Each structure stands twice: as structure tokens, then as C-alpha cells.
Amino acid sequence: MDFRAIGRQVSNWGRWDDGDARDERGTTNLLTPERIARGATYIRTGRVFDLGIPFGPDGPQPGGGRINPVLLFSETGAGQRFPGAFHYADDYVFMPLQSASQWDGLAHVYYDEQLYNGFPSSSVGPRGASHCGIDKQAKGVAGRGVLLDVASYRGVDWLDMGEVITPDELDAVAAEQGCAILPGDVLAIRTGWRKKFLAEGDPNAFMAGEPGLGLACCPWLAEREVAAVCADNWAIEVLPGELDDEMLPVHMVLIRDMGMTLGEILDFEELATDCAADDRYEFFFCAPPIKFRGAVGSPINPLAIK
Amino acid sequence: MDFRAIGRQVSNWGRWDDGDARDERGTTNLLTPERIARGATYIRTGRVFDLGIPFGPDGPQPGGGRINPVLLFSETGAGQRFPGAFHYADDYVFMPLQSASQWDGLAHVYYDEQLYNGFPSSSVGPRGASHCGIDKQAKGVAGRGVLLDVASYRGVDWLDMGEVITPDELDAVAAEQGCAILPGDVLAIRTGWRKKFLAEGDPNAFMAGEPGLGLACCPWLAEREVAAVCADNWAIEVLPGELDDEMLPVHMVLIRDMGMTLGEILDFEELATDCAADDRYEFFFCAPPIKFRGAVGSPINPLAIK
Amino acid sequence: MDFRAIGRQVSNWGRWDDGDARDERGTTNLLTPERIARGATYIRTGRVFDLGIPFGPDGPQPGGGRINPVLLFSETGAGQRFPGAFHYADDYVFMPLQSASQWDGLAHVYYDEQLYNGFPSSSVGPRGASHCGIDKQAKGVAGRGVLLDVASYRGVDWLDMGEVITPDELDAVAAEQGCAILPGDVLAIRTGWRKKFLAEGDPNAFMAGEPGLGLACCPWLAEREVAAVCADNWAIEVLPGELDDEMLPVHMVLIRDMGMTLGEILDFEELATDCAADDRYEFFFCAPPIKFRGAVGSPINPLAIK
Amino acid sequence: MDFRAIGRQVSNWGRWDDGDARDERGTTNLLTPERIARGATYIRTGRVFDLGIPFGPDGPQPGGGRINPVLLFSETGAGQRFPGAFHYADDYVFMPLQSASQWDGLAHVYYDEQLYNGFPSSSVGPRGASHCGIDKQAKGVAGRGVLLDVASYRGVDWLDMGEVITPDELDAVAAEQGCAILPGDVLAIRTGWRKKFLAEGDPNAFMAGEPGLGLACCPWLAEREVAAVCADNWAIEVLPGELDDEMLPVHMVLIRDMGMTLGEILDFEELATDCAADDRYEFFFCAPPIKFRGAVGSPINPLAIK
């Protein structure tokens, strides 16, 4: 498989440019007002499922490139001597923006010295990306969401590290669930990898690899005009990957060529149980990124509302 | 005015306890599934308004207790030598959780050594609050939102520092806008203070004080069963405040007695223009906090969807 | 052993008070100008040994309460467009002040609600200690240093976890080395624990426990008027400790009762080799803390100059 | 003045290479053991002067590229439930390594895509410099120090912003003080700029510019084999600078061409008073950098011992 060829096939470069204004949003452009309004019609009972994981010392980062968030209080209320009765607490955090539930922005990954839509890789400097920052996704991501519960489809608690999810399997899961995939959908791929972490509590095992999408899913996503993909693993795609000599090819194709924002390290456990119970796998999905200027990611806590 | 007496009058302590499980969510309990589903019916055209401000060096913090977020990249992609074509960028942030658009959690403010619902103030330690942390609001805040555009009602760009907003004025604004306030609503109070900051760019002026709610608004909010209040200033309430010898009495009453989560430093400019244009001030409001364990606040980017 | 009784026996509370000025420096008061000048006479050849360990991701912190320092660049020089030829790099660090080579300040440890010299434990708040901060040690620590190479004395690469060093052994080491211990000395205790970490590279093993001083060494240090003690382990004292129901009793006695500043996680390997070679274990020791206001520790890179 | 020509004139590139081992220390190589030992002979009375400034919120950074250090406690001792009596406090810092008293390392500044000794500027990445990091200065800086009190020589509290210090004036100051400048000296240039900050407390004024060395001082320093220069301003050199179209030319020449480590934002007030009183401007200078791996600077608290 030549990931560059797949990249060219699914490329959205130029597609949403508006005269001189070059697009920096990618496939979230597919979230048109009409589709967002349609997505809202999937709110029936008002039950809410929070798909973000907790941010704290018990997170999935083993250290190294990324660490778990460090929360420290600048004020606890103790020792304060204000006039009257008032006391307050205040807190700081130091964290990698991609240490827990998060969007991968479009400047997160590149190859051949170009970001999505042809912006030069030199757009990314030590204090921010001058193009394709996560703040460009300020208005989203909101729309119709569909859970594709691959682990349940297979009848396992979780897929194993290195197991590839194929387009055929995605179709089969959707068919079994009775779901159509519609243009502008946000897909939530459940591999069980989060469930495994919850069972084992081992960050090193969580990060050592994962089951996930194979390269062949990229055209499948492009054909269906999917707006965004998120998953309960940490990289969407299968690891170790399908190519011997390329790292994270699905990232390269989806983010850099297709312009797709990816949601990682989410928790679909409660949602999946509910979907199985009421046999309804569609919902309204709402996951606004925090508007960090020029960042390549953002912490999120996506809500699925049924 | 005796803020403690008002606090007792509006107190929700014990109201949502469930046997031995003492409530830590407060007024977001008013966001019942039915009300959330009803809120979703206000999504008509699917237009999205992002109410968070940018997080970065141009923020409103003058330094001192809080600073603007510091974003730094651990990887820019330059100098990487992976197999194949892959390059990636990664970023860290150091920030006060309440430095820009944010929820005030229920452990943020207390008096008389008790937090909301009677939890002891010693619940708050240097690494987190063991009760009433912002992660307890994981499923929200989502529901029907109403903009109350006080600045437009007065015909000014912004109210001045120290100008009090009264219950009568809130009623008048709602009446002029043709809005009912319904149980479980999230109110967005526009004072113009954000517009002033955008015009002047002066963090010291922004933080020196503000127009905002007076103490008398607390019972008004309680009677209407409002689920949450947010504003385009930094503390919801008028500053300097109405009491000579008490600091931030509205915070003390709303957060500690009523158990209300407050949204601060938001930007309603685009939303307000739109509401004035289509004469529709209601919308679906969705602002999930990031689930920082035991934190007293969370950065947010609330979406208003019409 | 009753650590409180030992604490009372060696207590320096009040000893260096000057009228109303209560002492916040403790045993570094023993570093009188005369003794510092005498210490300088041990500089003979001008050879320098740096006793600090590197600060970076390969440090001894396994995560949890403390992490290794995280160094991030705000500028790398790339992408800068200044007038003329100028480029610059700039860096930030996020770190526990006690994550690598460090002084324990006198506000670091307390019991019975009192710090050294009777200051209340409430002196320590989330943003600093109002008494006994490490900045109070601004002028030092400098003076005569003596290496006590316990590992070499025993003929081992390193002592094992839990092995106690006794006063008799300290005397024996000094005797074998031909060293007198003089009032105002800074002692450097080599257990080999750093050598073990360098051999194994295992932060969890490094932090799991250590060989070190037993409680009986406290009076020994007090009688000899030792000004400061440092070691190549992370807590000076033996761990697991000698008392079943008290944690870190040597810390409690030395820091809180005696007022001694402790130097931890140092590297004496090169120095020890040199001392063995020239049979000279005395040197000038110079380890100024960084003047963090109100901090309970400071990173250091002590120099031993022979 | 052509700064590149001056740079070539004073260049130390290659001078201290040892076969294939290319030098990364620069002029601190001039601190030979003999000179360090000689420096120690200036310790006569043992009085110590700490030349570092306090690190905390009252520092000289107005925000922007650099901020003042933020110290936060992960433990205050409150709320701890250990067995026995033990309580401890622990602290974290987030800071630019050059926010207060600090060494500029040799990777801090470059031009024409080369660092000191010809290392490529690509040596500096977002997580560190692979060459010329401050950790390469681990053994120093220690040696004979000389205060050149330019402000006292001029009879002013401080020189004004933009005032140039010339080689002739340095000679005149040394002559009036009765000081010889010897090879391997560390020079401490007092401009009074720190005194001005202490009087005014205005970070913006401190950083707006400064009096300092002119370009002509570079050859003067080279001829005298000075090992390091430090000052009580924030950039050693005069600002605004002498060249219309080049920024910080003295930095470019001293750091990149000569390989000189620069000490900035120091406080010579107490030392200067003492030197004037006893008419002795020489001392032992000891300022070990913290060994941050690959950093371009390090916080310091230099000691001058007389």
C-alpha cells in the first residue's frame, strides 16, 4: 500500500478554499448548518453521555514524550485574610494538550514538508502553528454521531493490539447495528481499548500499541463524507501499523491529506451499554475544542446526547 | 443586605441528596433529560456560535494571581528522524484553569468553613478538592440557553464598572426580547465588558472591576430555577460590590449556598448580533467542562446552536 | 527510640535568635566567615567536581508526587524574522524543586504543627512558606566539605536498601580516611545509591527505599556542630526506616528540630575516585540555592573544589 | 562597525578542540585549575555576598516572551494522614530559565545558521540543544571575580538607558579601583540598573532598554582573556544598541564567536557597598549552573566570597 497514493485519492486540498482564503478546517466543513440541525433531531430523551476521560494522575500516560496532567492549587482558601467571609480556591494545570481525551488538530501531523492544504511545515513553531491551529475548529465539532461498536460486534471485551479494522468490518458493524452512515457524520469507533485500560490500569500497556483502523478505511471515510472520527484508543489507527517503513500512515492520510480532525482517548463504555440496550446507535455529538491559539490539539469532553 | 440571610433563603443544601449520597452538582441537577431534550428543539437552522475566547498570550490576565495560558511545543516536527515520512508536532500548556473562558466549580468559593452542601472547606487541598470538583459536572452543562443582552437593552456598548444589574432589569430585558425564563435555563448575561476589552485590549482595565449582577439577583435566579449563569465579564457580579465589608457576595451565595456553576469571560458578540437580527434569543447551549479531577474550574468553549 | 526525645536533645530552637529576630537559617549559622575562609584553604590544585546530577527526562523520578523536569523551548531560533542576523533560543522548565539534586529547606518537613524554631505549620501555604523558605539560605552553603565514603569503607559498590549507617561507622570511615570532622563542616555521605541508579537506570528502584543514616546519627551530627549534610541517595536517611510507626524520623529531627538543611540526590562518583586517589577527602564546598521566595527546596549543583 | 568582522577578530572557534572532540564550553576553558586556585586566595575574611535576585512574582519580567517564576505547592502539609507525626511540603515551579539571575549558555544566540564553534543552528530543537547546552558548563563558573563599578565611577545611582560603556571607561574604572584584570577573570559590571529596578519596581522600565557594554568592549574582553562577564542589567550590552539594523550584536559576538557565557540580572548592591568600604574589588566568584540537559540558560545565585 502506498500511503501517498491513498492520500492523493482522498485529498481535500483546495476543496473548501474561498478565493484567496485557504481552508484550515478540513472535513469539519462537512458539518453544515443543515446537518447540525438534522443531528439535533437525534436528541430524543435528553440523556447525556460524557465521552471524555478524567484528567489527572491516574491517566494513561506512562511519561516520556507526554505526561499526565499535573494539577496544582495556587490557593486552597486556607490562610486567606480577606475582608469579611470570602475564601476561594484556584488551580493551575501543566499538561500536554494531547495527554487525555483530545482532538488532533490539522497541524499535528505532516509529511513531505507540507501540512493539510499545502501549508508549509515551517508554519509550526515552538509557540504555535500559524496555520491549521485547533482554534480554527472553534465552532465545532457538533452534529450527528454514530457509535460503531466493533468490540461488541466481535463479541470480545477488546480487540488486541495490532488487530486491523477494515472497511468491510465497519460496514458489517453498521449493518448489524442498523445504522446508515450519512454525510457529515461523526463516527465513534469502539475497540474496547479503553475498557482494557480500565481493567488493567497500565499506561505502558495502553500506549504499547492498539487495535484500530487500517489504511483501507481512509477511502471508505472519504467516500462517506465523514466529518470526524474518534475512538477509544490513542491513535485511531492500528499499531503496530500495516506498513513496515512508515509510521502512523492513517494519521498522515487523514490529517494531512483529507484534513480530518481526530478524537482520541475517549470512553464509550457507558454509551455503548446504552446503545446496546435501546438499539439506537445514533446521537447528537458535541465536542467543542478549547480555543488554544495555534495549538495542535485540545483537551475535550465530548457529549453524546440521545 | 445580609448575604448570609440571602444564602439561607436560596440554599439548595440537601435538596438533591440521594440517601447517603450527598449531592456535589448543585443547580445543574435542574438540567433534567426532559429539559435537555426541550432545549434541543431550539436548534432550528444549525448555526453555531462559539462563546469561548481565545486562549493565548493576548488574553485578559494582567499577571499576578493568574496569568494567560503559556503554550509551548515539545515537538515542532523539525529535526525528527523517524522511519519514513512521518513528522508530528506536540504541545504543552501551563495555565490557571480560570484564566480565560471557564466554569467556576462548586469548590471554588466558600465561607464559614463550608463548601456547597456542607462539605468542609478542608476538602480543598493543594492537589485537588475531594468534594465538588468540576469533574462532578462531567455530563453538562447542556440545555436551553437564553441571552439577556443588558447592554443592548440600555443602548450602550458596555455598562461601566460598578454598574449593578437588578432583577427588575433582567425582567425588563427578557420582556423586551420576548423571552420567557424557564426552569433549567442557562442564562447568558451580556454586559458588553468583553466588547470593551476587545476595543481596548487592556487586561488591567478588564480586571479592575466590572458591571454585573447585584445580590438581589440571587433570589430571582433561585425562584426561576435557573440551572447556570454565564457572562461576558470575569465574575458575573458587579465589582466593586454592593457590600463594603464583604468580597464577592454573589459568588458566595450562588456557588456555596445555591450550588450554581458559573461561566465567566465568555464572548457573546457574534451571538448578540445574530439574536438582534432574527429576534430570537433562545438556543441550545452546550458547554462540557474538561474533567479535571478535583479541580475548582475548567476551561470551556460553550457552543450556542440556533 | 523516641524521635521526639532525640529532637529535644539536639534542638537548636532559639539558639540563633537575635532579639526579636527569630532565626530561619538553622545550622548554616555555623558557617561563620572564619570557617568559610578556613574552608577555602582546602582549595589547593583548583580541580572542580560538580556534584549535581543532570536535570532532564532521564532523572530518578518515576512519576507520581514528583516528576522529572520538563524542559520546553519557547524559541528555537527557527522562523524568527528580526532585523539583521540575530537569532535566539529560549527555554522554560516545569519541575518539582526537589526532583533532582536539591536542598531541603527548613519548611520542608514538620510535626506537631510546628516548623523549625517554633514557627506554626500554617506558615506554609500553596504559594510559599512565610517562614524558613529556602531563600533564607541565600548566602550559602559554602565552607569546608568532607566526603565520608561509606560504600568504599565497606568495600561495596553500594549499600543495600534498608541498611543503616551508624555513628560508629561514620567515626570509623572518618578515621580510615584520616579526616577530622570540624565544627561548621558540610558532610557528603556516599552510600553508592547514585552509582546503583547509574548502573540500573531504574527510577522505581531508586525511589523504593535506600541505605542511609539512622536516628542515632542525629546527636552525632549535633555534637560535632555539622553545618549541613548531603548524600547520594534521595532522603539522607535509611528507608524503610528504623521506626515502625513514624515516617522519615531523621528528617523530622534534623530539619525541624536541629534546623539542618539537607542536600539530596547528589553524585559523588568522580569526587570519590579522586579522593581515593590522592587520599584527601576534604575540599571547599559551594552550593548556593536559587533564591526561590518561600520555597521549601531548591535545585543545586554543588561544587567541590580541591 | 561590522559585528561580523569583530566576531572573526575575537573568535575562539577551534581553540579548545581536542582532536575530534569539538569544544562546547568556550571561554570558561580559561578557568584553569591554577587560576581557580589563585582565585580562592582572594577569600580572606569569609564574608559571602549572594548576587542572585529573588525568584518570584515580584521579579523583573513584565510578561510576554518571559514571565516571572510561578511557584506552586503540591503539598503544604495540611490534610496529610501519614502514620505518625510526619508532615511535609513540596513545591513545583514553572519558569523561563532566563527569567531572573541566569547564565546565558552558548546555544542561546546565533547568526548565519551557526552556533559557537560552528555547530549548526539546527542543533537547537524544541526539547533541547544537542550542542553547547548549559550542562556543558557543569563545573563552573568559579574563579577570581572583579567588580567594575561603573555607576560609582561616574558618581551616579545608575547609568541611563542607552548609555554605552566603552573599553576606555572599563580601564578607567579598574584603574581607579586599583584592580588589575587578569586572564581567567570573571567580571561583574555594575551599571546601577538593578538599583533602579529596586527603587522603581517597574518591570516594563527595566526591560525597555538598559545601559551596558558597547561592541568595542568585545576585543577588550578577548585581549584580556576574560572567562565570563556578568552584569546587573538583563543583557550585558547597551540597549538600544549601537547598530541600526542589528539586534544585540554584543550577544552575537560574545556568545557565538567568542564562546562566552554571560551572567545577567544580578544584584551587586551589597557587594559594591562592601568593596567601596574596604577598597577591595576582587573576590572568589562561584556560580554553578543547574545542569539542565540541553538548556540554553540556567538560573543562578552566584556567590562572591571575600
Side-chain angles (χ1 to χ4, degrees), chain C residues 60 62 161-162 193 196 202-211 234 238-241:
Chain C
M161 186 169 92
W193 205 242
K196 181 167 179 283
D202 182 349
N204 285 297
F206 184 73
M207 287 291 166
E210 62 182 35
W234 58 272
V238 63
L239 288 167

Side-chain angles (χ1 to χ4, degrees), chain C residues 15-79:
Chain C
R15 175 174 176 185
W16 293 291
D17 291 356
D18 183 7
D20 287 345
R22 292 169 63 188
D23 178 57
E24 306 185 37
R25 293 182 58 215
T27 55
T28 57
N29 280 291
L30 296 167
L31 291 163
T32 59
E34 295 72 23
R35 288 169 178 165
I36 293 169
R38 185 194 62 203
T41 65
Y42 290 86
I43 301 181
R44 308 277 165 82
T45 61
R47 271 171 307 137
V48 175
F49 303 87
D50 50 306
L51 309 182
I53 71 163
F55 283 58
D58 52 353
Q61 301 299 333
R66 295 176 185 163
I67 60 173
N68 288 313
V70 179
L71 181 71
L72 297 169
F73 275 56
S74 56
E75 300 285 344
T76 59

